[in-house]
Amino acid sequence: MNAPESVKDDAPVECGGPEASTYLHSLLDGSQVFLSADPGQGVRDKYDRILAYVWTADGTLANRAILEHGHAEATGYGKPFAYSEDFTAAADQAQENKACRWSC
């Protein structure tokens, strides 16, 4: 997932960043979540961020929900990942609909 920056030091807030953050908080705050790693990606990226699929207790795949609502784009940074086709389709639909970050 690549979402617009909203709190990166020495960088401007990117269009859609605050909305992405608000959406993710509304989806996950106070919720029990389950994480699963993608064997093709490893546990951390080159910036030492943890990479995981995030499932809510009701079965929502948060990664996909973020894409559907236009708050991020799907990327494996050159490596294949398990939900690439589904995630890319969700992100493409959001972009076509000019949802959130795609309206900038």
Side-chain angles (χ1 to χ4, degrees), residues 57-81:
D58 70 2
T60 299
L61 180 54
N63 310 64
R64 187 180 198 291
I66 294 165
L67 294 165
E68 285 178 331
H69 289 90
H71 297 300
E73 58 185 307
T75 181
Y77 297 103
K79 295 180 182 178
F81 59 101

Side-chain angles (χ1 to χ4, degrees), residues 42-96:
V43 177
R44 293 189 177 266
D45 69 7
K46 66 182 182 179
Y47 303 106
D48 203 34
R49 297 176 296 200
I50 295 173
L51 301 175
Y53 297 111
V54 180
W55 299 89
T56 64
D58 70 2
T60 299
L61 180 54
N63 310 64
R64 187 180 198 291
I66 294 165
L67 294 165
E68 285 178 331
H69 289 90
H71 297 300
E73 58 185 307
T75 181
Y77 297 103
K79 295 180 182 178
F81 59 101
Y83 297 96
S84 62
E85 289 181 24
D86 182 43
F87 283 9
T88 299
D92 288 349
Q93 185 65 51
Q95 186 174 9
E96 184 177 311

